[in-house]
Amino acid sequence: MAANASAPIAVSSKLTPLPKSTNPNVQHVVLGDLLFKTWYPSRYPEELIGRDVNRLYVCQWCFKYCQDLVPFLAHRKLCCARIEPPPGQLIYSKDDYAIYEVDGEEHQLFSQNLSLFAKLFLDNKSVFFDVAAFYYYLLVYDAHHGPSRSPGPQIIGFFSKEKMSWDNNNLACILVFPPWQRKGLGKIMMGISYELSRLEGHIGGPEKPLSELGRIGYLKFWQARIANSILGMKNKTTLSVQDIAEACWMLAEDVVSTLKEMDVLGTKKRNDGSLAISKARVREWVSLNKVDLAPPVDEGGFTEDYLVEEDE
């Protein structure tokens, strides 16, 4: 996309700043043609941007950054990433959304710049320079239909995952970029993380502890996932926690905490000492809370090339 000095910058109104534990060193960020406030400090090099920056310009395609508008516009004209697909491998595509898997070791500069940008909106769980040990899963959207007016695919969020996790964590950190928040997009990435666990044959969950917002988001996701699984088991009237954990590829501790929040655990214990789960109470809970049980991820959306690699 060609850019010029008169290119408009839209101010996003989708944001609700979080309580700040530390004042951010960057007050506002321009991502492509969107201007919005930051929430937390990030470790951008002071020798490159200064100690207290009012506005930082970030490329929407490669996440390179600068403090001045003119070089930012010049970069946008020449950025190779603007006419290429996002880095990494396309692993999932459904409707207007796609997921690309990026190896932090193969794309170190991109992953570092993405992490620095993400830290402006994350209070913790952000790795800046030791990116080689992580995969980054980019949530990509057709920007023609989003708040940005720029053509072509737009990276609107991501989650990271350790290549080797002794705790079977399927997600390290997750972020939907502020202009695209409150659209239910986080559950797509959560769903992908659990589908990856299923494909790998490992029951897992997000890295703990979760932030308060992370806990709220995951609780909603887990509730719908568990309810869908329970009501989908037509041949069983009662189920154990282990039954649900295996069906949902979730950790038993996450299943228990979610069921307690839903208040659907029975009072009678099974022969093995575990508490039974009443499908009738789950059905009543879904109706009362008007929960959409449609899975956020379609198993058929994974690319054939990726599925073949996982089987090898």
Side-chain angles (χ1 to χ4, degrees), residues 100-119:
Y100 283 77
E101 180 185 74
V102 177
D103 188 329
E105 185 173 13
E106 294 182 12
H107 301 274
Q108 290 198 24
L109 182 59
F110 174 87
S111 301
Q112 289 170 357
N113 286 336
L114 176 65
S115 298
L116 287 170
F117 174 77
K119 183 60 183 72

Side-chain angles (χ1 to χ4, degrees), residues 40-302:
Y40 301 107
S42 183
R43 296 182 183 178
Y44 282 105
E46 288 186 11
E47 63 270 22
L48 295 181
I49 70 167
R51 180 171 297 182
D52 187 10
V53 181
N54 179 53
R55 183 175 296 185
L56 186 68
Y57 298 92
V58 178
C59 177
Q60 71 206 74
W61 301 296
C62 71
F63 292 89
K64 290 182 179 179
Y65 53 89
C66 64
Q67 190 180 355
D68 299 314
L69 176 61
V70 173
F72 168 68
L73 295 175
H75 168 81
R76 285 182 55 170
K77 289 181 179 180
L78 302 174
C79 181
C80 295
R82 72 186 179 91
I83 56 174
E84 298 175 352
Q89 177 187 4
L90 174 66
I91 68 169
Y92 178 87
S93 180
K94 180 67 174 178
D95 299 328
D96 293 329
Y97 298 98
I99 298 287
Y100 283 77
E101 180 185 74
V102 177
D103 188 329
E105 185 173 13
E106 294 182 12
H107 301 274
Q108 290 198 24
L109 182 59
F110 174 87
S111 301
Q112 289 170 357
N113 286 336
L114 176 65
S115 298
L116 287 170
F117 174 77
K119 183 60 183 72
L120 294 170
F121 310 99
L122 294 171
D123 195 18
N124 53 21
K125 293 186 179 180
S126 191
V127 177
F128 308 104
F129 301 107
D130 185 21
V131 297
F134 289 84
Y135 287 115
Y136 295 82
Y137 295 88
L138 312 179
L139 177 62
V140 179
Y141 183 60
D142 183 353
H144 279 300
H145 304 102
S148 172
R149 294 185 295 274
S150 303
Q154 171 69 57
I155 300 170
I156 61 175
F158 78 100
F159 72 91
S160 62
K161 174 187 174 185
E162 288 181 288
K163 294 179 180 178
M164 178 66 70
S165 172
W166 298 109
D167 298 321
N168 282 336
N169 293 329
N170 60 18
L171 185 147
C173 72
I174 182 172
L175 175 68
V176 176
F177 299 160
W180 290 273
Q181 289 181 0
R182 299 184 180 180
K183 298 178 182 295
L185 298 177
K187 63 184 180 181
I188 295 179
M189 293 190 284
M190 294 177 191
I192 290 291
S193 72
Y194 278 97
E195 285 302 308
L196 294 178
S197 290
R198 180 182 64 82
L199 292 171
E200 295 167 2
H202 299 296
I203 288 179
E207 182 180 302
K208 308 287 196 320
L210 294 169
S211 67
E212 183 58 26
L213 285 181
R215 191 191 72 83
I216 293 172
Y218 261 100
L219 182 59
K220 291 181 178 178
F221 171 79
W222 285 335
Q223 287 173 338
R225 185 176 181 85
I226 288 173
N228 181 63
S229 178
I230 291 174
L231 298 181
M233 296 183 183
K234 306 296 185 182
N235 298 327
K236 293 186 177 181
T237 56
T238 59
L239 301 161
S240 70
V241 168
Q242 192 59 33
D243 291 334
I244 303 304
E246 292 175 359
C248 296
W249 294 91
M250 287 175 56
L251 297 173
E253 62 191 69
D254 294 333
V255 173
V256 171
S257 64
T258 303
L259 291 172
K260 287 181 177 178
E261 289 283 347
M262 296 169 69
D263 193 25
V264 295
L265 281 172
T267 56
K268 295 182 180 180
K269 291 187 176 181
R270 294 157 55 107
N271 293 333
D272 61 2
S274 62
L275 290 174
I277 303 158
S278 169
K279 294 179 72 173
R281 294 179 67 175
V282 172
R283 194 175 293 109
E284 180 183 356
W285 179 88
V286 169
S287 177
L288 181 64
N289 292 276
K290 300 179 180 179
V291 176
D292 181 7
L293 297 183
V297 173
D298 181 355
E299 293 181 14
F302 282 91

